[in-house]
Amino acid sequence: MAAVRAELPGFLDGIGAWPGTWIEEKGRAVAVHTRRSTDPQAAFEALKAPLGDLAAQHGLVLEPGRMVLELRPPGMDKGVALAEYVREVGAESVLYAGDDLGDLPAYAAVEKLRSNGTPGLLVCSGSAEVPELSERADLSVPGPAAVVGFLTDLAQAVRDAG
């Protein structure tokens, strides 16, 4: 991951990535977003093959999402990361909110935790573009601001009950 992080900015410049394309650090992964570019879908399509090659050169996998291409180690996804975190902190319950196909492994991790007795809630930050999430979610809300509103209300309800 360190080598790809160091190489990625120059790589994108070298292939003439679309203006508005940006890199997000994700800890164990790095993502290239195209949603702010002048033509997000064209930028996404133009970057898939070159980023796939770059990922392969570094022993990584390329995970496409909604106007985002994530480079990460094989065997690492949001589900693995979530399960590890739940174990690390000894969580007695879990809430996961997602909005993209890359969140499906985390949904599966929460479903597995629930089957093993850990309470869990799946929230879909509403998008008609990703019905796979909304179909599995316990709750759908209309976007990130609504997720924040829900969490704020939930925190207040917990404070009031305590």
Side-chain angles (χ1 to χ4, degrees):
M1 283 305 310
V4 113
R5 278 187 179 93
E7 186 177 337
L8 193 55
F11 178 83
L12 291 174
D13 286 343
I15 63 170
W18 291 59
T21 299
W22 58 282
I23 299 169
E24 177 189 9
E25 271 300 324
K26 297 184 110 179
R28 296 184 180 180
V30 64
V32 178
H33 293 268
T34 64
R35 66 179 53 109
R36 293 181 190 163
S37 68
T38 52
D39 188 341
Q41 187 63 43
F44 178 85
E45 294 301 328
L47 290 173
K48 267 199 304 195
L51 287 176
D53 292 344
L54 179 67
Q57 289 169 16
H58 291 279
L60 303 173
V61 295
L62 182 70
E63 177 75 31
R66 195 176 44 165
M67 300 305 126
V68 62
L69 296 154
E70 185 175 289
L71 293 86
R72 59 177 167 74
M76 176 52 67
D77 60 31
K78 291 179 181 180
V80 171
L82 179 63
E84 285 179 6
Y85 182 72
V86 166
R87 271 191 305 278
E88 279 177 26
V89 301
E92 296 178 12
S93 62
V94 63
L95 181 152
Y96 186 86
D99 69 350
D100 203 346
L101 291 173
D103 294 307
L104 286 171
Y107 269 42
V110 171
E111 290 164 346
K112 184 175 181 184
L113 287 164
R114 291 196 296 206
S115 73
N116 292 328
T118 301
L121 180 68
L122 294 170
V123 179
C124 176
S125 180
S127 170
E129 298 168 28
V130 190
E132 297 89 340
L133 288 179
S134 59
E135 291 166 0
R136 290 170 65 178
D138 301 305
L139 172 68
S140 289
V141 297
V147 172
V148 172
F150 170 71
L151 293 173
T152 301
D153 292 346
L154 179 61
Q156 186 61 51
V158 168
R159 280 192 295 274
D160 291 349

